Amino acid sequence: MQPFHYQRADSLDVATQAAAQAAARASASDGRSPVEAPVQFVAGGTTLLDLMKIDVMRPTTVVDINPLADRHGGIAATGDGLRLGALARMAQVADHPAVRRDYPVIAQALELAASQQLRNMATLGGNLLQRTRCPYFRDVSWSACNKREPGSGCAALDGINRKHAVLGTSDACIATYPGDFAQALVALDATLEITGPQGRRALRVAELHKPPGSDPNVETRLAPGELITSIVVPSGAWTRRSLYLKVRDRESYDFALASAAVALDLANDGTVRDARIALGGVATVPWRAPAAEEALKGRRLDENAAEAAAEAAFAGAQTREHNAYKVPLGRATLVRALLDAARLNA
């Protein structure tokens, strides 16, 4: 771990200004990789500290935002929807009665995301911003990683890519987004409230993560110094009939090989009035599947309809040597998730 300056922020203004000032001090021509962002916020620290220890991330300033939890760590459920403070802990939200009853896909995604010890520490905002578990990114002995060293190449393209993405990939990067919670939020059309040096703004969770394209080192649409403060999930007819299904190598705890966040609005005869689908474990970003949603609308949700939706969801998949199995696995995961959600009492 490299030396760094520690600063504790007791207000949003202090946090965002500290980040902006540290960014301004960093010279654009000092030859540092963008991974070496001059300032990082820390709350739970369950991702950042690991990456600092293995020398993948080397911030010069770490701003502790835990003092902001009193104002930005709450949970509020109303008739209009759900408001989650970005500094709420994963375990706290997963155990909340209103979340479990009215937004089960969120509770399940959080419960399946990590061990109990990590869920007790990790915050919602930090979980959304976690970085890939691609071994070529996390091992600095591999020089070819465009996320870590822009322009160096992607060792995963022709390497061991069994766990890598088949959707949203590019010639520069096929690293999989590792999270679970983001898929639930994308499926439910959640919005982020963001504060930064230039003020406040809103951003859809579906727009937060940036597909790799030619610059995979730029992973989100947050500007320097911006901080997620709240997550707003609108109410809807589909939120109670929702679930998160995760398929992994180990049931005890592992990252998804394929997952599906599904929310349905069904008529009494089983016809799909609306469907919300997001996929995990198979894409470079939390992946909304609008073609699959459209394939279901107006149809009775039976196995044939679910299979048609799954085919549509993976129509654009691009596979590599070791990860082609993710396409049939992802389809089967989505079919099972849809049929299980259809059987829920909502």
Side-chain angles (χ1 to χ4, degrees), residues 167 187 243-247 257-264 275-280 282 287-296 301-315 326-343:
L167 295 170
L243 61 78
Y244 186 71
L245 179 62
K246 181 176 182 178
V247 177
L257 297 176
S259 68
V262 170
L264 300 174
R276 310 297 180 92
I277 298 170
L279 305 175
V282 294
W287 192 260
R288 186 76 180 257
E293 297 170 356
E294 288 301 318
L296 289 171
L301 185 42
D302 55 18
E303 191 161 354
N304 288 335
E307 288 177 351
E311 288 289 332
F314 285 87
K326 283 199 171 189
V327 175
L329 178 64
R331 289 175 184 151
T333 301
L334 179 53
V335 169
R336 178 179 157 195
L338 287 168
L339 295 178
D340 286 353
R343 288 189 284 266

Side-chain angles (χ1 to χ4, degrees), residues 76-121:
T78 69
D80 294 328
L82 183 66
R83 175 180 290 272
L84 304 171
L87 288 172
R89 308 292 167 171
M90 292 171 63
Q92 175 190 7
V93 178
D95 290 340
H96 195 278
V99 177
R100 299 183 72 84
R101 181 187 66 241
D102 298 330
Y103 304 86
V105 65
I106 291 178
Q108 293 163 12
L110 290 170
E111 286 180 337
L112 293 171
S115 67
Q116 182 66 49
Q117 294 91 331
L118 288 175
R119 295 198 304 271
N120 287 340
M121 287 295 297

